Amino acid sequence: MGDECRVFVGRVPRASTEEEFQRIFASSPGLVEAVLLRDKETGASKGSGILKFSSPAGAAEACQKYNGSLTLAQELGPIQVRIADRDALRLQIPQDLIDCRGPAKLFVGGLPRSNWTEEETKNLFERHGTVIEVYHIKTKEGNFSGASMVKFPQVAEALAAIQALDRQQVQGSPRPLEVRFAQKRQPPALGAPQQQMGAGFGAYPLGGGYPQPHMQPRPGTYGAGAGVPPPPPGPRVIGNWTEHFDATGKPYYYNTISRRSQWEMPPEFWPPGGHHAGFQQNRGPKAW
C-alpha cells in the first residue's frame, strides 16, 4: 500500500490560479502534485482541486491539517479536504474517516497464536504511531485466535501501520499479517436486527450491515435486482465465493450465485490437508 494517494479539495475560489492553489499546500510533506479541476470544454475552474501525495499517510496528514481549518473565501466557508473517493475505496478507508479526523481502528489477522501477548501486538504497532488500545480476539475455547483489534488516535498513523505491516510475516505465524481498517456499522439491510458485540462494541455489527448466516433474507430479496448490493469483495475470492470478516475478526463467506452468506468455510478455501474451522468471538472488548 505504498502507492501515491490523492486528496480532494473543495470550496476553492473559482478565480484562484494554479500557482495560488499550489502555494497553499506547498509545505505539505510528501506532496507530489497540486492541480485545479477544470471544465474540459471551457477550461474554467470547477472550484475544487486534487493533491497527489507519495503515500496514504502523507495524504491523511494533509486532510487532518487542512480540512475545515482554512478559509479561502468567506462566502464559501472553510475548505473541504478529504481522501479522494477512488483511493478511499482502494485503501478500504471507512466513509466516516475519509476526512481523516478522529481515531481509527484496525483489524489485524495472521498473528502468532502461541505465546503472543497483547503487549507484543502493541509493541509491533507502536513503531508507526500511538496505540490507544489493543484487543486480542479469542476462540470459543478461550485461546488467542491470531486476530486482534488495534486503535490509533489518527488515521495517518493507522495508514502508516497498514503500509508497513500488511502482508509482512511475523515469526511464529503460519501466514502473513492482514492489516486493514475495521468497518463500522452500515444501515441494517432489509430491516434485519443487528447482533450486539458487547459493551462499547455494538457499533460493529456482523458483516457491516449485510445479512449474516443467522439472518438470511428470503431467496431473491438480496443482491441483484433487490436494490441492496452484495458485500464488496473481500481479501480472497475463490470460484463463486468471497471471504469477508465481521468486526470481531470472524470470517464468513458469501456466494455470488446463491447470494447467501454462511459462517462455514467452503471447501474451496480449505488449506491443503483438510478443513480449517473459523474462530468465534466470545468476549467483548474493553472499550471501543
Side-chain angles (χ1 to χ4, degrees):
M1 295 180 63
D3 300 351
E4 293 179 337
C5 183
R6 295 171 303 162
V7 168
F8 171 83
V9 182
R11 296 181 179 173
V12 178
R14 293 178 183 270
S16 295
T17 65
E18 203 90 18
E19 291 74 19
E20 290 171 333
F21 182 70
Q22 293 169 352
R23 193 159 48 243
I24 294 169
F25 304 100
S27 63
S28 300
L31 181 66
V32 176
E33 186 180 22
V35 296
L36 290 172
L37 295 177
R38 299 184 179 277
D39 184 275
K40 291 183 179 180
E41 295 183 359
T42 66
S45 171
K46 292 184 176 182
S48 57
I50 291 290
L51 308 176
K52 184 184 291 186
F53 287 85
S54 58
S55 71
E61 289 177 2
C63 291
Q64 183 178 344
K65 177 179 179 180
Y66 291 107
N67 183 51
S69 65
L70 178 65
T71 300
L72 303 180
Q74 291 298 324
E75 65 274 17
L76 298 177
I79 59 174
Q80 298 175 329
V81 186
R82 57 176 172 79
I83 303 295
D85 291 344
R86 185 177 298 177
D87 285 334
L89 181 63
R90 174 176 60 86
L91 297 167
Q92 299 181 359
I93 301 176
Q95 188 67 25
D96 64 325
L97 292 180
I98 60 174
D99 62 356
C100 302
R101 294 292 179 91
K105 303 158 192 176
L106 299 181
F107 167 81
V108 184
L111 291 167
R113 295 191 177 191
S114 300
N115 302 318
W116 186 267
T117 66
E118 290 185 349
E119 189 64 25
E120 287 176 296
T121 299
K122 182 178 181 182
N123 291 339
L124 180 64
F125 280 83
E126 273 190 333
R127 304 169 191 172
H128 311 287
T130 302
V131 175
I132 299 176
E133 187 171 359
V134 173
Y135 159 57
H136 273 189
I137 300 168
K138 302 289 188 177
T139 65
K140 60 183 178 181
E141 292 81 15
N143 302 316
F144 178 43
S145 65
S148 182
M149 304 289 281
V150 177
K151 183 191 288 187
F152 284 98
Q154 298 179 2
V155 175
E157 294 175 319
L159 283 167
I162 293 173
Q163 183 177 353
L165 296 175
D166 187 46
R167 302 183 183 181
Q168 298 300 308
Q169 190 77 38
V170 175
Q171 186 175 2
S173 176
R175 64 186 182 93
L177 290 175
E178 177 193 354
V179 186
R180 58 176 173 78
F181 285 99
Q183 298 297 319
K184 289 190 176 182
R185 181 189 294 274
Q186 301 294 328
L190 307 177
Q194 298 296 317
Q195 176 177 329
Q196 296 299 314
M197 305 309 296
F201 207 45
Y204 289 81
L206 299 178
Y210 291 103
Q212 294 299 301
H214 70 285
M215 57 174 74
Q216 289 290 353
R218 296 187 304 275
T221 62
Y222 177 68
V228 180
R236 294 194 294 167
V237 179
I238 301 179
N240 298 327
W241 292 94
T242 58
E243 182 184 58
H244 307 270
F245 294 87
D246 68 23
T248 71
K250 180 178 179 180
Y252 67 97
Y253 303 88
Y254 174 76
N255 189 289
T256 58
I257 301 299
S258 66
R259 300 197 294 274
R260 293 276 180 155
S261 299
Q262 66 182 47
W263 293 123
E264 183 179 358
M265 178 182 287
E268 290 88 339
F269 283 85
W270 291 3
H275 177 70
H276 170 72
F279 57 82
Q280 295 183 359
Q281 174 262 355
N282 73 334
R283 68 181 176 94
K286 288 172 272 188
W288 288 92

